[in-house]
């Protein structure tokens, strides 16, 4: 399976996190290419950020010339999903919020979201509402404070706080937890041993969803292990 995984933010650190999370899902023969746009916000927080990032994502897809069986949009705004689907109508295009919430819905029961910045909460709530899961959402918990620094380093900087927030969400009755935000890609797996309920990684959920529905388009290339992603 050949996937294009796009970080709609321009943070190289976040792109590396997303690449690592994606590559952890690779099977023999898969080729995953992870890219971020050449321009746009380092982190999408405001609607103005999102508007600029949407165009940047479309330009990134236009510029990618390799074979592709599906596209993952690795931001919780599902940034650029509609125009990218219009551009590549023959392959699945999945945003990580859609994939994460579909997984939470399938698991059933109340779920929670854990994230790293207060400024992200309104956008996450809007995506929950859009997905029709408001009644199932137990709450959105975030690290205290307004400043989180380099988005590529939030996993390291706030690991203990994020772990505690997951534990609290479990104690409150959540049946599953969504890690909210592209910068948290890959963290669900490292936190799983400390939490008795499923922790959902949007990037990995999106790859699983595409794997279930995408038909590889044979181009007669030999099968190989997943190639190092481009950044």
């Amino acid at each position: 399976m050949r996937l294009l995984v796009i970080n709609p933010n321009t943070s190289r650190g976040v792109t590396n996190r997303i690449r690592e999370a994606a590559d952890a899902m690779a099977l023999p023969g898969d080729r995953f290419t992870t890219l971020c746009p050449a321009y746009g916000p380092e982190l999408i927080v405001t609607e103005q950020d999102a508007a600029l990032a949407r165009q940047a994502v479309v330009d990134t897809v236009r510029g990618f010339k390799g074979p592709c069986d599906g596209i993952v949009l690795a931001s919780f705004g599902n940034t650029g999903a509609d125009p990218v689907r219009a551009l590549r109508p023959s392959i699945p295009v999945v945003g990580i919020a859609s994939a994460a919430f579909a997984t939470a819905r399938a698991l059933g029961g109340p779920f929670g979201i854990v994230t790293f910045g207060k400024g992200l909460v309104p956008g996450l709530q809007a995506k929950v509402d859009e997905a029709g899961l408001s009644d199932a959402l137990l709450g959105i918990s975030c690290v205290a404070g307004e400043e989180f620094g380099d988005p590529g380093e939030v996993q390291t900087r706030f690991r203990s706080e994020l772990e505690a927030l997951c534990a609290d969400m479990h104690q409150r009755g959540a049946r599953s937890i969504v890690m909210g935000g592209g910068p948290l890609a890959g963290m669900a797996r490292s936190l799983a041993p400390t939490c008795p309920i499923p922790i959902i990684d949007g990037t990995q959920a999106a790859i699983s969803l595409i794997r279930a529905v995408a038909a590889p388009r044979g181009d007669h290339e030999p099968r190989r292990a997943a190639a190092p992603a481009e950044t």
Side-chain angles (χ1 to χ4, degrees):
M1 182 172 70
R2 291 80 52 92
L3 293 185
L4 174 60
V5 182
I6 299 179
N7 170 25
N9 308 307
T10 59
S11 167
R12 296 285 178 169
V14 173
T15 303
N16 288 338
R17 297 284 191 186
I18 291 167
R19 183 191 68 237
E20 290 167 2
D23 287 351
M25 298 291 288
L27 299 177
D30 287 344
R31 287 184 60 86
F32 297 166
T33 301
T34 301
L35 301 175
C36 67
Y39 66 92
E42 183 180 47
L43 186 69
I44 301 169
V45 178
T46 67
E47 181 51 42
Q48 290 76 16
D49 293 337
L52 180 59
R54 277 193 290 272
Q55 187 57 52
V57 165
V58 170
D59 289 344
T60 302
V61 173
R62 282 200 181 104
F64 181 71
K65 304 304 182 185
C68 190
D69 301 311
I71 297 174
V72 174
L73 301 176
S75 80
F76 263 75
N78 298 326
T79 307
D82 289 340
V84 170
R85 288 179 185 127
L87 191 64
R88 300 295 299 268
S90 63
I91 60 175
V93 176
V94 179
I96 62 172
S98 296
F101 295 150
T103 304
R105 189 194 301 273
L107 290 171
F111 75 99
I113 300 176
V114 167
T115 191
F116 59 90
K118 289 182 179 178
L120 303 179
V121 172
L124 290 167
Q125 181 66 59
K127 299 312 290 184
V128 172
D129 296 343
E130 183 181 302
L133 286 172
S134 301
D135 290 344
L137 179 66
L138 193 62
I140 302 175
S141 297
C142 63
V143 173
E146 300 292 340
E147 297 297 326
F148 49 78
D150 180 352
E153 296 300 322
V154 295
Q155 292 194 30
T156 302
R157 182 178 179 188
F158 298 124
R159 179 183 171 88
S160 61
E161 291 95 329
L162 292 164
E163 183 177 329
L165 290 173
C166 288
D168 178 68
M169 195 64 75
H170 168 241
Q171 290 297 319
R172 290 167 60 188
R175 295 283 298 277
S176 63
I177 297 168
V178 170
M179 299 303 290
L184 300 182
M187 198 172 190
R189 183 168 292 185
S190 69
L191 291 177
T194 71
C195 187
I197 59 175
I199 303 178
I200 301 166
D201 183 295
T203 297
Q204 296 183 337
I207 290 171
S208 293
L209 184 57
I210 292 176
R211 192 183 299 282
V213 300
R217 304 168 189 284
D219 57 3
H220 307 295
E221 290 184 358
R223 293 181 68 79
R224 67 193 82 176
E230 301 172 16
T231 56

